[in-house]
Amino acid sequence: MTTDSNIIPSLHRRTPPARLQHTPFEPVCAIFRQYLRGQKQKFTPERAMILDAVLRKQGLFEAEILVDDLKKLGYRASRATVYRTLNHLQDAGILKQVFFDNKQSYFEVIVGGQSNDYLICIASGKVIEFSSQRLKKLRDEICAEHGFEPIGHQFHIYGLCAEGRCKNDKK
Amino acid sequence: MTTDSNIIPSLHRRTPPARLQHTPFEPVCAIFRQYLRGQKQKFTPERAMILDAVLRKQGLFEAEILVDDLKKLGYRASRATVYRTLNHLQDAGILKQVFFDNKQSYFEVIVGGQSNDYLICIASGKVIEFSSQRLKKLRDEICAEHGFEPIGHQFHIYGLCAEGRCKNDKK
DNA sequence: CTGATTGCAAACACTTTGCAGCAGA
DNA sequence: TCTGCTGCAAAGTGTTTGCAATCAG
């Protein structure tokens, strides 16, 4: 009860330095553990570390960035494990995968299942997140018209932000 | 004026069989030629064949499928040329690239710049296209609120279609 | 103790690129 | 003729997978 070992599995695997110094996360951790239990899967230190790193992110992030983040945090987890865990977190309903381009995909913490929408500036690359009740309502109406049961959605608007408009004046 | 050679460049390049048997397309061809002219690029037989194949598609299609289509049509164009031409068609405003997953991207003829939206069944894989004026209006309102100038958008709703709902009853 | 998990590196699949030869304008 | 285009195959990239060693429950 004194160490965090009752929450986080012992973190000694093949490499020593990796270590979670704190109780990594709040109720999300519980969600993940419950999900894993249901799948007869294990809550390993690697998974704990990855979840911790994920929960530090704001908005969208790439898998590769997360790999770097882990290194910077002093955690150790192979690229393969990161990818595998991201998929699990998605299945657990904690993350959502988002597609913008054909190079890579992005992830976003959703936890509750809320979905965010984006304005993406094609000039500056800036991504503005927004959330709209009207959009959700419209979505449900459209689904109803098509006998479709919505689970999630993504709404990406491509264009120019104020800044991008300036940068792009040549065009 | 009797042969189509005044529209389509001679189709003899390295391999003989490839040949466009007909005037391949309507005004879209003109759009593409004009675009190419503006870019000091050439309207080659390969590009004509690819445009022809593209205009036969309905809805979304993958680049790889198009490569196959070309073979089936008796046209010959290397994979590289197909990919390069798809990019040009996109720049010309004839095609739009769409991202659903991290495996590949999809294309869709837009020609006018209209954008379609999709209901995607996560169980059956079915994709229902729809178009909504209300959505476009809402989009513009949202952009206005954020000082954003919209150029295009994609709206993907994930969920279960009637058929998918049945298939998915186990869940 | 035993099945699940990890790390590594090889495998993958889609897409892009370098280059030498060919061809549209 | 002079750019620009094509095909080929090699290179790129993000992601997945096979496998032996290792660990969580």
Side-chain angles (χ1 to χ4, degrees), chain A residues 46-90 94-96 104-109:
Chain A
E46 286 78 6
R47 288 175 179 175
M49 293 187 287
I50 292 166
L51 178 53
D52 182 57
V54 160
L55 293 178
R56 290 163 186 261
K57 304 302 286 181
Q58 295 276 321
L60 297 170
F61 62 91
E62 300 110 305
E64 288 300 316
I65 296 289
L66 197 68
V67 172
D68 289 348
D69 287 355
L70 285 161
K71 276 191 199 120
K72 283 178 196 149
L73 288 169
Y75 301 162
R76 155 210 41 74
S78 71
R79 179 171 271 89
T81 300
V82 170
Y83 278 94
R84 284 188 278 234
T85 302
L86 285 174
N87 285 332
H88 289 139
L89 288 171
Q90 217 183 156
I94 293 169
L95 280 184
K96 186 171 78 120
Q104 64 194 144
S105 54
Y106 301 80
F107 294 86
E108 172 186 27
V109 177

Side-chain angles (χ1 to χ4, degrees), chain A:
Chain A
M1 187 74 188
T2 54
T3 76
D4 49 22
S5 61
N6 61 330
I7 295 181
I8 305 309
S10 71
L11 297 182
H12 340 278
R13 196 173 273 264
R14 265 125 287 163
T15 326
R19 178 137 251 162
L20 268 183
Q21 297 301 344
H22 61 302
T23 312
F25 16 58
E26 314 89 86
V28 185
C29 183
I31 296 174
F32 194 34
R33 302 188 76 144
Q34 181 180 334
Y35 162 81
L36 289 173
R37 216 173 301 127
Q39 303 289 309
K40 289 192 217 160
Q41 296 183 345
K42 295 169 181 171
F43 188 62
T44 65
E46 286 78 6
R47 288 175 179 175
M49 293 187 287
I50 292 166
L51 178 53
D52 182 57
V54 160
L55 293 178
R56 290 163 186 261
K57 304 302 286 181
Q58 295 276 321
L60 297 170
F61 62 91
E62 300 110 305
E64 288 300 316
I65 296 289
L66 197 68
V67 172
D68 289 348
D69 287 355
L70 285 161
K71 276 191 199 120
K72 283 178 196 149
L73 288 169
Y75 301 162
R76 155 210 41 74
S78 71
R79 179 171 271 89
T81 300
V82 170
Y83 278 94
R84 284 188 278 234
T85 302
L86 285 174
N87 285 332
H88 289 139
L89 288 171
Q90 217 183 156
D91 292 342
I94 293 169
L95 280 184
K96 186 171 78 120
Q97 197 167 13
V98 175
F99 306 100
F100 282 158
D101 57 53
N102 57 16
K103 294 296 182 195
Q104 64 194 144
S105 54
Y106 301 80
F107 294 86
E108 172 186 27
V109 177
I110 48 173
V111 184
Q114 72 141 309
S115 99
N116 284 301
D117 308 296
Y118 306 94
L119 297 167
I120 301 152
C121 180
I122 61 177
S124 69
K126 192 167 157 191
V127 177
I128 304 169
E129 299 187 48
F130 71 92
S131 194
S132 163
Q133 282 309 315
R134 275 182 301 163
L135 179 60
K136 261 168 216 148
K137 199 161 154 255
L138 178 54
R139 180 196 77 169
D140 291 342
E141 287 170 17
I142 288 168
C143 287
E145 287 165 18
H146 290 268
F148 196 87
E149 181 184 326
I151 290 176
H153 73 256
Q154 47 184 62
F155 191 29
H156 301 166
I157 304 177
Y158 298 93
L160 300 173
C161 68
E163 189 188 327
R165 216 139 47 213
C166 302
K167 279 194 192 173
N168 217 37
D169 271 346
K170 52 188 159 87
K171 269 201 165 178

Side-chain angles (χ1 to χ4, degrees), chain B residues 109-127:
Chain B
V109 178
I110 48 172
V111 184
Q114 73 141 307
S115 98
N116 284 300
D117 309 296
Y118 306 94
L119 297 167
I120 301 152
C121 180
I122 60 176
S124 69
K126 191 166 157 193
V127 176

